[in-house]
C-alpha cells in the first residue's frame, strides 16, 4: 500500500494541516464572541452601560430598543458558528492543553450572553404585562411579572461539546449544528489507500475527553471511531455528525436487540432473526434509513457482529430460536429496506465474525459453518473480525489471535477489504519492560507491515476495561492502551512506523 498512500490534503483523515485549521478556528471563535461581547458593552440599553451610568450618578443614554427576539437571533447565529468551529477544535484539542482552556472560556462567555438574553426577555415580558394591565384598568402601573427562562439558545456543550451520554443510552438530545460538515462520499471512503485507525472509549463520540487523552498519549490522531446502538434506538444524527466534524469515520455496531441487553443474554423474545425478516421492524428500519439518507454522511454499520459464536441473540441455535439460514435472511432484509430508501448510498456494510479458535465447539470452527453466515458479496462492503488476546498461556502473537479466522474470511469473501473491527490485549503479566501485551502489540504492527496482509485496511482498538460473560464464565479484562507504561510505549512506537501505510495527524501533549 505504501506506493498508494493518500495525500494529506484529503481533509477527513487527520493530518498535520489540522493544526493550522485549529488556530484559524480558535481565532474565528474569539472574534465572534468578542464582537458580541463588545456589542453588549457599548449598547446604550445594555446592563453594563446602565450599571456604569448609575455608579457615576449620571443619566444613562437613551435606550435603543432591541427586542429579545433580535437578541436571540444574534445569539443563535453566534452559537451555531461556535458549535461548528468547536467541533473541529475538539479533535485537535489534544495538540495543546490551552485548547481546552479556550473552549471553557468560550462557554463562559456564551453563558453570560444567555443571561443577558434572559434578562431581556424578562424585561420584555414585564413591559407587556404592565401595558396589558394599564389598558384593562385605565391607569398606569403593572407588576412586571414576566419570567426570563434564558432563551432557547442552549448554553450546554451542545452538539459539539462534552455531552456525557454513553453510547447505548439512546439518541442525544443535544442540538445539532446546521452548519455544513464536509465529508467524503461512500466511494471515496472505500477507495482510501491509507489504513484506518480507530478507538473505542467509554463515551466517544459523545464525549471526546478520554478519546483525546489517549490520542495525546499515543501521539497520533485516529481517523475512525467506534460506538454501539441497539434496535430500540433511532438513527443517531448527533453521533455521526460529531464523528465527521472531528475528521473521523463513524463505525457503528448495530445489534438487533434493545440497547440495554446484557452481553450474556442469548435469547431476547421478540427480536429473533425471523421477527426482523417478517417485517415486524420495517417501520423502524424505514425511518432509520430515511433519516440516515437525509443526514447525507457515510456510516459504517457492523450489523450483528460475532454471529458465529453462541452468546448473542442473532446467532443460529436452539437457545436463540433462530433457524439455519435465518441470519443471512435477516441481514439481506435490512439491506433491502435500506436499498429501497436510498440509504445504501451512504452505508458501508461491515460483516464481522468472531475469532474462530476460541469458539469451543469444533463445529463452529469449520469453514462451512462460517460460510453459512455470509450474506453475499452484493450485501457486504467490508469484512472483518473481533479478536482479543486474553489468555496468558497462549502465544501473544498476531498469528495466534487472527491467523485462523483471517484464512477463512479470505476464502469466503475474496477481494473484500478487511477491518480488524474490535481488537485488544489484556494485561497477563510478563516483565516490567516487556509484558505479553507489549509483545502482542509489536506482533500486530509487524503483521501490518507484512505484504501478505495488504488486504487488512485498518483496525479499531477497544481501549476500555470490560467485564464479559461467555458460557457462564465471568471475566474482567483491562484492554486499555495505557494499562501499563511498556504497553503504551510499544503502541506509540508501532503506530508511528512508516511501513504500515498510515497517514495520521501527529498529536502533541
Amino acid at each position: 500500500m505504501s506506493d498508494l498512500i493518500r495525500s494529506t490534503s484529503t481533509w477527513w483523515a487527520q493530518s498535520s494541516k489540522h493544526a493550522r485549521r485549529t488556530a484559524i478556528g480558535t481565532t474565528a471563535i474569539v472574534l465572534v464572541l468578542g464582537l458580541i461581547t463588545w456589542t453588549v458593552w457599548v449598547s446604550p440599553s445594555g446592563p453594563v452601560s446602565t450599571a456604569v451610568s448609575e455608579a457615576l450618578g449620571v443619566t444613562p443614554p437613551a435606550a435603543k430598543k432591541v427586542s429579545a427576539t433580535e437578541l436571540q437571533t444574534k445569539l443563535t447565529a453566534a452559537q451555531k458558528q461556535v458549535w461548528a468551529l468547536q467541533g473541529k477544535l475538539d479533535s485537535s484539542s489534544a495538540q495543546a492543553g490551552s485548547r481546552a482552556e479556550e473552549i471553557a472560556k468560550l462557554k463562559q462567555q456564551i453563558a453570560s450572553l444567555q443571561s443577558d438574553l434572559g434578562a431581556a426577555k424578562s424585561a420584555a415580558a414585564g413591559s407587556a404585562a404592565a401595558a396589558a394591565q394599564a389598558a384593562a384598568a385605565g391607569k398606569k402601573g403593572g407588576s412586571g411579572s414576566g419570567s426570563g427562562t434564558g432563551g432557547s439558545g442552549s448554553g450546554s456543550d451542545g452538539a459539539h461539546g462534552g455531552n456525557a451520554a454513553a453510547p447505548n443510552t439512546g439518541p442525544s438530545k443535544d442540538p445539532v449544528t446546521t452548519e455544513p460538515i464536509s465529508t467524503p462520499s461512500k466511494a471515496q471512503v472505500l477507495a482510501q489507500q491509507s489504513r484506518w485507525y480507530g478507538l473505542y472509549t467509554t463515551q466517544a463520540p459523545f464525549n471526546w475527553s478520554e478519546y483525546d487523552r489517549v490520542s495525546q498519549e499515543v501521539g497520533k490522531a485516529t481517523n475512525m471511531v467506534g460506538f454501539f446502538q441497539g434496535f430500540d434506538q433511532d438513527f443517531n444524527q448527533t453521533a455521526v455528525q460529531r464523528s465527521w466534524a472531528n475528521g473521523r469515520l463513524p463505525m457503528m455496531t448495530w445489534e438487533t436487540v434493545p440497547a440495554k441487553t446484557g452481553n450474556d443474554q442469548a435469547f431476547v423474545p421478540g427480536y429473533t432473526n425471523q421477527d426482523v425478516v417478517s417485517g415486524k421492524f420495517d417501520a423502524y428500519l424505514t425511518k432509520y434509513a430515511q433519516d440516515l439518507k437525509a443526514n447525507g454522511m457515510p456510516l459504517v454499520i457492523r450489523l450483528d457482529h460475532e454471529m458465529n459464536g453462541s452468546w448473542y441473540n442473532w446467532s443460529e441455535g436452539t437457545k436463540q430460536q433462530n433457524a439455519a439460514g435465518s441470519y443471512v435472511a435477516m441481514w439481506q432484509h435490512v439491506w433491502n429496506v435500506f436499498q429501497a430508501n436510498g440509504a445504501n448510498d451512504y452505508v458501508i456494510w461491515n460483516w464481522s465474525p468472531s475469532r474462530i479458535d476460541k469458539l469451543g465447539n469444533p463445529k463452529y470452527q469449520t469453514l462451512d459453518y462460517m460460510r453459512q453466515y455470509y450474506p453475499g458479496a452484493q450485501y457486504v462492503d467490508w469484512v472483518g473480525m473481533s479478536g482479543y488476546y486474553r489468555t496468558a498461556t497462549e502465544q501473544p502473537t498476531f498469528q495466534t489471535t487472527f491467523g485462523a479466522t483471517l484464512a477463512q474470511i479470505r476464502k469466503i469473501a475474496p477481494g473484500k477489504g478487511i477491518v480488524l473491527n474490535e481488537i485488544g490485549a489484556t494485561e497477563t503479566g510478563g516483565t516490567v519492560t516487556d509484558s505479553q501485551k507489549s509483545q502482542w502489540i509489536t506482533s500486530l504492527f509487524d503483521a501490518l507491515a507484512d505484504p501478505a496482509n495488504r488486504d487488512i485496511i485498518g483496525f479499531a482498538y477497544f481501549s476500555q476495561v470490560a467485564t464479559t460473560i461467555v458460557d457462564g464464565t465471568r471475566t474482567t479484562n483491562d484492554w486499555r492502551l495505557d494499562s501499563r507504561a511498556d504497553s503504551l510505549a510499544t503502541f506509540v512506537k508501532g503506530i508511528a512506523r512508516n511501513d504500515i501505510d498510515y497517514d495520521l495527524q501527529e498529536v502533541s501533549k
Side-chain angles (χ1 to χ4, degrees), residues 27 61 67 104 117-118 127 134 146 173 266 292 303 321 350 403 433 461 497 505 508:
T27 303
S67 68
L117 175 62
S127 297
K173 303 301 182 183
L292 191 154
L303 179 62
Q321 299 185 22
N350 187 185
T433 58
Y461 192 94
R497 289 173 58 160
Q505 176 192 1
S508 59

Side-chain angles (χ1 to χ4, degrees), residues 219-274:
K220 294 284 186 180
T222 69
N223 54 10
M224 182 167 65
V225 57
F227 67 101
F228 290 75
Q229 269 204 292
F231 233 50
D232 57 343
Q233 296 174 299
D234 292 333
F235 171 69
N236 198 322
Q237 181 186 40
T238 301
V240 176
Q241 289 194 2
R242 283 176 60 83
S243 300
W244 278 119
N246 285 272
R248 294 160 181 156
L249 171 66
M251 179 177 68
M252 181 187 75
T253 299
W254 200 13
E255 303 176 334
T256 56
V257 291
K260 294 184 179 180
T261 303
N263 62 10
D264 60 336
Q265 191 171 347
F267 173 64
V268 183
Y271 286 84
T272 66
N273 292 339
Q274 184 56 38

Side-chain angles (χ1 to χ4, degrees), residues 44-330:
S45 59
V48 176
S49 176
T50 301
V52 172
S53 298
E54 291 177 352
L56 295 175
V58 299
T59 303
K64 178 184 178 182
K65 293 183 179 180
V66 179
S67 68
T69 301
E70 183 180 354
L71 182 56
Q72 174 67 70
T73 300
K74 291 181 179 180
L75 179 60
T76 300
Q79 177 72 82
K80 288 179 179 179
Q81 293 182 55
V82 171
W83 285 336
L85 292 168
Q86 187 179 331
K88 296 179 176 62
L89 194 65
D90 280 346
S91 64
S92 302
S93 62
Q95 297 180 29
S98 61
R99 296 287 184 255
E101 297 174 1
E102 290 173 23
I103 292 175
K105 291 178 181 178
L106 295 176
K107 290 176 183 176
Q108 290 177 355
Q109 292 184 49
I110 292 173
S112 176
L113 289 170
Q114 288 173 328
S115 177
D116 293 340
L117 175 62
K121 284 190 173 182
S122 179
S127 297
Q133 287 187 4
K139 64 179 181 179
K140 206 173 181 181
S143 61
S145 61
S147 62
T149 64
S152 61
S154 174
S156 67
D157 292 331
H160 296 288
N163 186 330
N168 277 333
T169 58
S172 172
K173 303 301 182 183
D174 295 335
V176 179
T177 177
T178 58
E179 293 293 327
I181 300 172
S182 179
T183 71
S185 65
K186 173 181 174 178
Q188 287 174 312
V189 171
L190 294 176
Q192 177 167 298
Q193 296 301 308
S194 59
R195 282 176 164 139
W196 300 97
Y197 158 45
L199 287 177
Y200 296 89
T201 58
T202 307
Q203 296 177 336
F206 305 93
N207 186 322
W208 296 116
S209 58
E210 180 182 359
Y211 206 99
D212 285 345
R213 176 183 59 76
V214 175
S215 295
Q216 283 183 329
E217 294 173 339
V218 170
K220 294 284 186 180
T222 69
N223 54 10
M224 182 167 65
V225 57
F227 67 101
F228 290 75
Q229 269 204 292
F231 233 50
D232 57 343
Q233 296 174 299
D234 292 333
F235 171 69
N236 198 322
Q237 181 186 40
T238 301
V240 176
Q241 289 194 2
R242 283 176 60 83
S243 300
W244 278 119
N246 285 272
R248 294 160 181 156
L249 171 66
M251 179 177 68
M252 181 187 75
T253 299
W254 200 13
E255 303 176 334
T256 56
V257 291
K260 294 184 179 180
T261 303
N263 62 10
D264 60 336
Q265 191 171 347
F267 173 64
V268 183
Y271 286 84
T272 66
N273 292 339
Q274 184 56 38
D275 284 323
V276 178
V277 174
S278 70
K280 174 181 175 180
F281 293 95
D282 278 6
Y284 165 73
L285 290 170
T286 297
K287 183 178 185 303
Y288 203 105
Q290 291 173 348
D291 290 347
L292 191 154
K293 178 185 177 183
N295 191 55
M297 299 178 182
L299 169 66
V300 178
I301 295 183
R302 184 172 70 137
L303 179 62
D304 283 347
H305 63 309
E306 301 174 15
M307 75 301 292
N308 56 331
S310 60
W311 48 89
Y312 280 131
N313 180 72
W314 45 86
S315 298
E316 296 175 0
T318 303
K319 61 182 176 182
Q320 287 91 358
Q321 299 185 22
N322 289 323
S326 63
Y327 178 87
V328 167
M330 176 275 299

